[in-house]
Amino acid sequence: MEINAIMTVEEKAELELIQEYDRWESLYKNGGSDPYWPDGVNLNLVCCHIIDGRKRLEELGYFPEVYTRPVPPEVDPQYMARKAEDRKSVV
């Protein structure tokens, strides 16, 4: 599902939060492509986006199913989802 002009503000906020959870899960499992920062740094940044998205839903007084999901844990900033040699074989 993508954001469109017909969606309400609440629905857009919900969809954005769903996308951030999906992004966190993908980054945690598969790692990212940022050559300058470990996956852990990016995971913690996405976690901040999730917290902000939840606050936005609270401000709107809108509590969809995604709001009940737990906030992902803080990750060691040096965490790498896959070792460098594993990434080389993918690229």
Side-chain angles (χ1 to χ4, degrees):
M1 178 188 283
E2 54 183 68
I3 296 176
N4 63 51
I6 299 173
M7 298 174 82
T8 66
V9 171
E10 292 85 0
E11 290 170 331
K12 287 179 184 178
E14 176 184 6
L15 181 57
E16 289 169 359
L17 184 57
I18 290 168
Q19 290 171 338
E20 290 297 341
Y21 272 105
D22 291 345
R23 183 174 165 206
W24 192 94
E25 290 173 9
S26 176
L27 187 57
Y28 186 78
K29 291 177 186 173
N30 305 314
S33 59
D34 189 333
Y36 300 105
W37 297 100
D39 296 334
V41 172
N42 290 310
L43 282 163
N44 290 333
L45 177 62
V46 175
C47 184
C48 288
H49 294 173
I50 290 171
I51 291 168
D52 288 344
R54 291 169 58 86
K55 287 180 183 175
R56 176 75 174 130
L57 290 175
E58 290 170 6
E59 291 169 359
L60 294 169
Y62 183 62
F63 304 97
E65 183 275 327
V66 68
Y67 184 83
T68 64
R69 292 178 66 179
V71 174
E74 183 175 345
V75 178
D76 180 333
Q78 296 303 313
Y79 170 80
M80 292 298 286
R82 297 171 26 207
K83 302 292 181 207
E85 51 273 22
D86 291 340
R87 289 182 181 207
K88 287 179 187 173
S89 67
V90 174
V91 177

